[in-house]
């Protein structure tokens, strides 16, 4: 069986995901995706006739983000018509999943050149969202079996179940901002960052737009929690609330709101791409690999709490790789909510100096379908910067899932 090599990775800066506030908010998602696809082809002198597939992650697939965004973005980037494309949705886990599928296709020998990645423009959600529940679109039967509340409410419930305090969550939020500020100041993202221009060539964004480097623990501690009132909104004529969805699965659980904008991921727009090939193709075309994929895994967990799968996903991918947690030099675990990363650190006894060392989605933002590919690229850049060997990347996804991947720097 062949190896799967990572040749290169690039991404856009993250723009604030709100119309009227974000630099990218007026751009069509296909144009944002084509920005990184064009860049990854040009950076590597890639003949796009040879691209077997573009596997793209986009969670909100409707309106401007519908119609197989991956294929359309590739065409917009000037790729050969021979380059096929598909778009998938594993909610927040979409970006890692694209890399995992690319890995499987290459290792099996079915394909030689695949570009993984994703695009998400959260600024267009209001215009593109259809009526109904975000996760299950109003499926009463499924909700009766596995109630699926608002994710912030689930995060608050997990904090109560795990005994994780508001102070710990705010400390993690402040650290994310501090680390991101250092990474930006030291240019740690510059190797992968691709500036975004509009259709007329006007520069739209060439830097991270979301971080708040002046955030401190003391400031975060003053913020009002975001999900207290949301937990008790009546959703239907049966009196259903997100709080009693949690109680349906965990009777008697008392939980208070502890998450807010300062310890939860930011709403942003962004795109990322990863060029992956077989060793034979790379060697034949003079491409120097940056990493190889060691192992991939997918994991399901409780869909009501929905944010807890990263820990079992990490254990599963480590077992597949025949590795122990101590052999991993760096971890990227998406900061969807601070409790996700804090629980991961505590459950697996992770050295805090090894995880999200350049900040995470609390500081930088979380462009849902693109984030996983961004995290893989960030981990690869940091392995090279620190001269380290192995990185493990994972993230929670709605519905109670988590993909995971381990890469080894070459």
């Amino acid at each position: 069986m062949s190896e799967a090599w990572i040749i290169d990775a690039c991404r856009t800066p993250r723009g604030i995901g709100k119309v009227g506030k974000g630099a990218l908010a007026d751009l069509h998602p296909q144009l944002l995706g084509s920005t990184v696809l064009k860049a990854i082809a040009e950076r590597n002198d890639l003949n796009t006739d040879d691209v077997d597939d573009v596997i793209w992650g986009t969670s909100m697939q409707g309106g401007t983000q519908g119609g197989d965004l991956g294929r359309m973005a590739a065409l917009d980037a000037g790729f050969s018509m021979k380059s096929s494309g598909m778009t998938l949705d594993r909610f927040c886990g979409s970006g890692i999943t694209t890399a995992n599928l690319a890995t499987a296709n290459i290792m099996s020998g079915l394909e030689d050149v695949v570009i993984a990645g994703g695009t998400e423009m959260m600024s267009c959600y209001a215009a593109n969202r259809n009526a109904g529940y975000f996760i299950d679109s109003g499926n009463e039967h499924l909700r009766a079996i596995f109630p699926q509340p608002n994710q912030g409410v689930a995060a608050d419930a997990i904090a109560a179940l795990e005994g994780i305090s508001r102070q710990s969550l705010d400390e993690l939020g402040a650290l994310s901002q501090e680390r991101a500020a250092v990474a930006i100041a030291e240019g740690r993202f510059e190797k992968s960052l691709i500036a975004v221009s509009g259709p007329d060539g006007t520069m739209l964004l060439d830097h991270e737009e979301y971080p708040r480097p002046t955030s401190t623990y003391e400031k975060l501690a003053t913020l009002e929690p975001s999900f207290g009132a949301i937990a008790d909104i009546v959703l239907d004529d049966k009196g259903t609330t997100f709080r009693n969805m949690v109680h349906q699965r965990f009777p008697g659980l008392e939980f208070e709101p502890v998450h807010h904008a300062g310890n939860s991921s930011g709403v942003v727009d962004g795109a990322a791409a990863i060029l992956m090939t077989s060793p034979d193709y790379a060697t034949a075309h003079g491409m120097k690999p940056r990493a190889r994929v060691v192992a991939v895994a997918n994991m399901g967990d409780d869909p009501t709490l929905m944010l807890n799968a990263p820990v079992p996903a990490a254990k599963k991918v480590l077992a597949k790789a025949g590795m122990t947690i101590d052999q991993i030099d760096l971890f990227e675990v998406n900061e969807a909510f601070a409790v996700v990363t804090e629980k991961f650190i505590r459950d697996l006894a992770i050295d805090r100096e090894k995880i999200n060392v350049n900040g995470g989605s609390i500081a930088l933002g979380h462009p849902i379908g693109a984030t996983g590919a961004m995290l893989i690229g960030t981990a690869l850049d940091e392995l090279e910067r620190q001269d380290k060997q192995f990185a493990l990347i994972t993230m929670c996804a709605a519905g109670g899932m988590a993909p995971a991947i381990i890469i080894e720097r070459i």
Side-chain angles (χ1 to χ4, degrees), residues 136-164:
D136 59 31
S137 299
N139 184 338
E140 296 284 350
H141 175 71
L142 180 61
R143 284 216 321 279
I145 302 170
F146 289 115
Q148 298 176 52
N150 172 277
Q151 290 190 350
V153 174
D156 288 342
I158 293 168
L161 281 166
E162 298 292 331
I164 297 175

Side-chain angles (χ1 to χ4, degrees), residues 28 80 101 127 144 192 255 309:
H28 196 286
S80 166
L101 288 177
S192 296
F255 60 95

Side-chain angles (χ1 to χ4, degrees), residues 109-407:
L110 293 175
E111 295 178 331
D112 286 301
V113 183
V114 182
I115 299 178
T119 302
E120 201 82 36
M121 292 197 64
M122 301 183 77
S123 58
C124 71
Y125 270 25
N128 289 342
R129 187 186 297 275
N130 295 320
Y133 288 97
F134 176 63
I135 294 175
D136 59 31
S137 299
N139 184 338
E140 296 284 350
H141 175 71
L142 180 61
R143 284 216 321 279
I145 302 170
F146 289 115
Q148 298 176 52
N150 172 277
Q151 290 190 350
V153 174
D156 288 342
I158 293 168
L161 281 166
E162 298 292 331
I164 297 175
S165 68
R166 162 77 186 260
Q167 178 179 341
S168 296
L169 302 176
D170 286 348
E171 288 173 348
L172 192 148
L175 181 61
S176 182
Q177 295 284 356
E178 178 184 325
R179 287 179 168 178
V182 170
I184 292 168
E186 293 185 356
R188 297 184 189 178
F189 299 140
E190 290 181 4
K191 184 173 185 177
S192 296
L193 214 59
I194 304 299
V196 182
S197 299
D200 63 355
T202 302
M203 175 63 66
L204 298 179
L205 189 65
D206 62 358
H207 63 279
E208 301 291 350
E209 194 173 33
Y210 186 79
R212 298 172 176 84
T214 60
S215 295
T216 62
Y217 165 76
E218 289 74 20
K219 289 181 180 179
L220 297 186
T222 67
L223 297 180
E224 289 293 321
S226 299
F227 303 101
I230 291 173
D232 297 310
I233 292 174
V234 177
L235 301 169
D236 55 29
D237 56 9
K238 297 178 182 179
T240 303
T241 67
F242 291 129
R243 187 180 298 276
N244 60 36
M245 285 183 185
V246 174
H247 287 160
Q248 184 177 331
R249 294 275 290 127
F250 300 91
L253 175 65
E254 297 298 327
F255 60 95
E256 298 297 325
V258 289
H259 287 88
H260 51 75
N263 59 26
S264 304
S265 57
V267 174
V268 295
D269 301 328
I274 304 170
L275 174 59
M276 303 177 70
T277 75
S278 66
D280 286 348
Y281 182 90
T283 301
H285 292 81
M287 291 181 170
K288 182 179 179 181
R290 296 176 62 191
R292 74 177 184 96
V293 178
V294 178
V296 303
N298 297 301
M299 196 72 188
D301 200 79
D302 190 317
T304 297
L305 294 179
M306 80 178 74
L307 308 173
N308 281 344
V311 170
K315 291 179 179 179
K316 184 176 182 179
V317 77
L318 284 165
K320 285 182 174 292
M323 298 177 68
T324 64
I325 201 81
D326 294 336
Q327 291 177 278
I328 302 299
D329 298 299
L330 295 170
F331 298 84
E332 286 289 333
V333 179
N334 188 42
E335 296 170 351
F337 299 90
V339 75
V340 176
T341 309
E342 186 65 22
K343 175 175 165 56
F344 190 92
I345 291 169
R346 296 184 185 198
D347 285 2
L348 298 177
I350 303 295
D351 181 346
R352 291 177 185 267
E353 296 304 311
K354 292 183 176 182
I355 186 166
N356 298 355
V357 299
N358 292 319
S361 288
I362 290 173
L364 296 164
H366 175 24
I368 310 296
T371 302
M374 289 185 170
L375 296 184
I376 293 169
T378 296
L380 177 54
D381 286 349
E382 190 63 17
L383 285 175
E384 292 173 344
R385 191 185 74 84
Q386 291 193 29
D387 192 22
K388 300 292 186 181
Q389 187 173 6
F390 294 107
L392 188 156
I393 304 97
T394 187
M395 60 199 305
C396 60
M401 300 179 287
I405 184 171
I406 295 173
I407 63 172

